[in-house]
Amino acid sequence: MSLRPSRAWLGNLMVMVLLGVIAWALLRLHLGDAWWQSAPLASQWRWAAGSLVGYAAFCTLIWWRGRAREDHVADNGPAPILLVWASQTGFAQQLCERSAQALRAAGLPVRIRALHAVTAELLQRSGQVLFVVSTTGEGDAPDHALPFLRKVMPQALALPQLQYGVLALGDRSYGHFCAFGHQLDAWLRQHGAHPLFDTVEVDNADPGALRHWQQLLGQLGGEATELPDWAPADYLPWQLQARHLENPGSPGAPTYRITLVPADGVLPTWQAGDVVEIGPQHSPAEVEAWLRDTPWEGDADIDGQPLRAHLARAHLPSSDETAAFTDTDALVAALRPLPHREYSIASLPAEGQVQLLLRRQLRPDGTPGLGSGWLCDHAALEGRIDLRFRSNPNFHGVAAATPLILIGNGTGIAGLRAHLRERISAGARRNWLLFGERTAAHDFFFGDDLRAWKRDGWIARLDTVFSRDGGEHHYVQDRLQAQIHMLQQWVHDGATILVCGSLQGMAPAVDAVIEQALGRDGKEALIVAGRYRRDVY
């Protein structure tokens, strides 16, 4: 650590000295020399010593508030995630602090910095950085970001070790929507940093975009957090029509195909690439176990629903919290709703249903995860499912005449399956799918559809790789690497690339192969043109 005083500290010191001189001058002016000359010597020294102590305490307070703050991080723990905000009105700073809270809840160490306090050295020392930045005026950075723009961004930095994400705040009524967020994203890419996921755009504090960002934060911890949503979803009632285990006997976790239909029979419209937000619930057994330890009756009617129905959709209060409520109305009013879970849609409206593909997740204690436990284990067939659609324009399809390369692994095939179905409806045949999983016998999800589409000429190329089956290539990125010249040819012919699947492992490995095939500038040009897009989780 450098012991050289920072400019900010020296500035604080100069302010302290100046304030001290002014205070002394005002005191002498007010009391005059007569008091000082006539006072006993002991009183003079006591007054001087007291003044010195008080002034030292005042200086210490200024230094303490102005020092560079570091979150406590254990020496033997994981490296902290750096969260950086750039805000004109304070909203980005608030979201940054909420993001830090979500990551801490997932057990991750974090540090928060304003963008003007971020140096080149700090970026080079960091492994993961999340930026929450607003755009002001017609595409400008917030005022306080000027030091970063002038001192850091002109430098020729090498940031190959850096993984980052950007939450870009903006307003579509202005000409350059989220311009500074995209400028920052482009600068990071150009200097070798690797995006954890595509930039998340937020139009006028759009609740859906903020819920999406919150879910991405949970994924960084290895499992989604269960903090309440920042902006709860307004769900519609749907019905669980079918639930089917897709991979019995697989060495991987059980994976289910979930089929949902609208409770009122009216099917809305959506596009390939869109997602659904599901409002999960606790299992009935968990709710009843909680009720047994309380004086409350689960059948008590609150706003037209039994108490147990309210409890199923909320964080269950602790025993200490429960003791503070005097009646069920107060209890229900204080409940915090469970966070949503979002999933890629595997089907189109023409198929008359929403199909999802879920891998059953387990918590560290072995109990099912919040979202997958609800849909795969606890929800009753023909029972109600709370659902809301979220448009995902960054992952929508392309014109039928445009060649399309689809790359994914695991349950990421769900989103890619919808794109293929959409392409077939449009008569597009130049489609190349690369898909990876564990075993061909158990984990070839939607295999019947894919093989039939390949046989009928709707899929021009179908490359599959199964890591537990042996063979030359173990993962989808290995198969892509082996076809690097074909990749170059398709891109030369105008192809768009869509990647859907795991944030850890597959997505960055595929990104590295694409950069190898096209060069950094070629990959950047593809991103800017909207021809390389990802939906990773």
Side-chain angles (χ1 to χ4, degrees):
M1 178 185 295
S2 172
L3 297 179
R4 183 175 58 188
S6 68
R7 292 182 180 178
W9 191 90
L10 290 173
N12 283 338
L13 179 61
M14 293 175 64
V15 170
M16 288 185 245
V17 172
L18 180 60
L19 287 173
V21 171
I22 293 173
W24 175 256
L26 289 174
L27 183 65
R28 291 292 300 270
L29 181 65
H30 179 69
L31 296 178
D33 288 338
W35 173 83
W36 181 262
Q37 292 171 356
S38 62
L41 183 61
S43 298
Q44 294 178 23
W45 278 109
R46 282 195 299 271
W47 185 90
S51 300
L52 182 61
V53 170
Y55 183 63
F58 173 71
C59 293
T60 301
L61 176 62
I62 292 180
W63 171 82
W64 178 257
R65 296 188 63 184
R67 79 199 191 286
R69 292 176 174 86
E70 296 283 342
D71 290 82
H72 176 71
V73 179
D75 293 337
N76 59 351
I81 298 175
L82 180 63
L83 282 86
V84 177
W85 58 269
S87 183
Q88 192 71 13
T89 64
F91 184 51
Q93 183 178 3
Q94 294 173 16
L95 291 179
C96 189
E97 291 167 352
R98 286 185 179 183
S99 300
Q101 179 187 8
L103 292 172
R104 291 190 186 106
L108 297 175
V110 299
R111 286 181 176 145
I112 300 177
R113 291 290 181 274
L115 187 59
H116 64 262
V118 173
T119 63
E121 293 76 18
L122 180 58
L123 290 179
Q124 290 174 319
R125 294 196 312 267
S126 300
Q128 289 187 332
V129 183
L130 299 177
F131 295 89
V132 182
V133 299
S134 63
T135 295
T136 185
E138 291 295 337
D140 299 323
D143 295 339
H144 75 94
L146 190 59
F148 183 84
L149 271 70
R150 286 184 175 177
K151 298 176 182 179
V152 179
M153 294 185 76
Q155 297 186 40
L157 298 180
L159 301 171
Q161 88 297 341
L162 188 64
Q163 295 180 313
Y164 72 92
V166 177
L167 181 67
L169 311 180
D171 185 338
R172 288 193 185 275
S173 65
Y174 288 88
H176 303 281
F177 177 59
C178 292
F180 179 57
H182 289 295
Q183 177 189 357
L184 181 61
D185 173 60
W187 180 82
L188 289 162
R189 290 179 187 266
Q190 290 165 6
H191 289 79
H194 305 282
L196 290 162
F197 36 76
D198 290 338
T199 295
V200 178
E201 297 177 339
V202 182
D203 179 20
N204 271 327
D206 172 50
L210 294 179
R211 286 194 298 270
H212 179 51
W213 172 259
Q214 190 176 9
Q215 173 139 329
L216 291 172
L217 292 176
Q219 291 163 2
L220 288 178
E223 59 181 30
T225 61
E226 297 186 8
L227 293 177
D229 282 343
W230 297 341
D234 185 12
Y235 297 115
L236 296 174
W238 280 57
Q239 191 176 70
L240 176 58
Q241 185 181 68
R243 175 170 53 214
H244 183 260
L245 177 62
E246 294 288 292
N247 63 341
S250 169
T255 301
Y256 290 82
R257 188 190 305 203
I258 304 296
T259 303
L260 305 169
V261 295
D264 61 4
V266 179
L267 198 72
T269 60
W270 67 87
Q271 293 180 243
D274 287 344
V275 301
V276 291
E277 298 177 351
I278 298 293
Q281 297 185 28
H282 298 296
S283 69
E286 189 173 358
V287 174
E288 295 305 319
W290 185 90
L291 284 168
R292 283 196 296 269
D293 294 331
T294 72
W296 314 115
E297 292 293 335
D299 292 329
D301 184 276
I302 310 295
D303 297 329
Q305 287 189 316
L307 174 60
R308 58 170 52 87
H310 292 281
L311 293 169
R313 295 180 172 87
H315 288 275
L316 298 176
S318 67
S319 56
D320 290 340
E321 292 171 331
T322 305
F325 301 118
T326 57
D327 55 56
T328 52
D329 288 330
L331 170 65
V332 169
L335 291 176
R336 299 176 300 148
L338 291 172
H340 79 286
R341 293 294 182 256
E342 60 182 44
Y343 304 100
S344 299
I345 307 173
S347 55
L348 295 181
E351 297 175 85
Q353 56 194 209
V354 163
Q355 289 189 24
L356 311 177
L357 190 66
L358 275 71
R359 198 180 303 277
R360 187 171 178 268
Q361 303 290 341
L362 297 179
R363 298 185 178 103
D365 63 2
T367 58
L370 180 62
S372 63
W374 167 239
L375 290 175
C376 298
D377 295 333
H378 307 314
L381 288 176
E382 308 300 328
R384 170 173 169 158
I385 301 294
D386 291 332
L387 180 148
R388 180 183 186 274
F389 287 87
R390 180 174 66 79
S391 178
N392 189 18
N394 186 60
F395 206 65
H396 283 169
V398 295
T402 302
L404 186 62
I405 304 172
L406 303 120
I407 306 171
N409 71 332
T411 56
I413 191 62
L416 302 183
R417 191 259 181 199
H419 276 290
L420 285 168
R421 187 72 172 76
E422 189 174 71
R423 299 274 290 176
I424 292 169
S425 299
R429 291 183 177 270
R430 194 156 186 207
N431 305 306
W432 178 10
L433 173 65
L434 298 101
F435 170 66
E437 243 295 344
R438 288 176 174 82
T439 67
H442 305 290
D443 306 292
F444 195 1
F445 306 127
F446 301 108
D448 291 344
D449 288 340
L450 300 177
R451 282 186 287 259
W453 293 340
K454 176 67 172 65
R455 182 192 64 232
D456 296 340
W458 294 112
I459 298 178
R461 292 189 60 89
L462 176 60
D463 287 286
T464 58
V465 56
F466 297 96
S467 60
R468 301 295 180 88
D469 288 349
E472 184 179 359
H473 307 118
H474 287 86
Y475 301 104
V476 68
Q477 59 265 27
D478 300 325
R479 181 58 60 89
L480 183 64
Q481 173 72 51
Q483 301 289 344
I484 197 165
H485 297 300
M486 185 65 66
L487 172 63
Q488 293 167 335
Q489 183 61 54
W490 276 60
V491 171
H492 180 267
D493 294 343
T496 289
I497 303 172
L498 299 181
V499 179
C500 191
S502 57
L503 175 65
Q504 305 294 336
M506 185 278 295
V510 165
D511 184 78
V513 175
I514 293 173
E515 183 168 315
Q516 179 186 350
L518 308 178
R520 181 177 298 174
D521 291 342
K523 186 184 79 170
E524 296 298 328
L526 218 61
I527 293 170
V528 171
R531 293 175 52 200
Y532 173 28
R533 306 182 229 154
R534 309 190 305 170
D535 183 13
V536 295
Y537 46 85

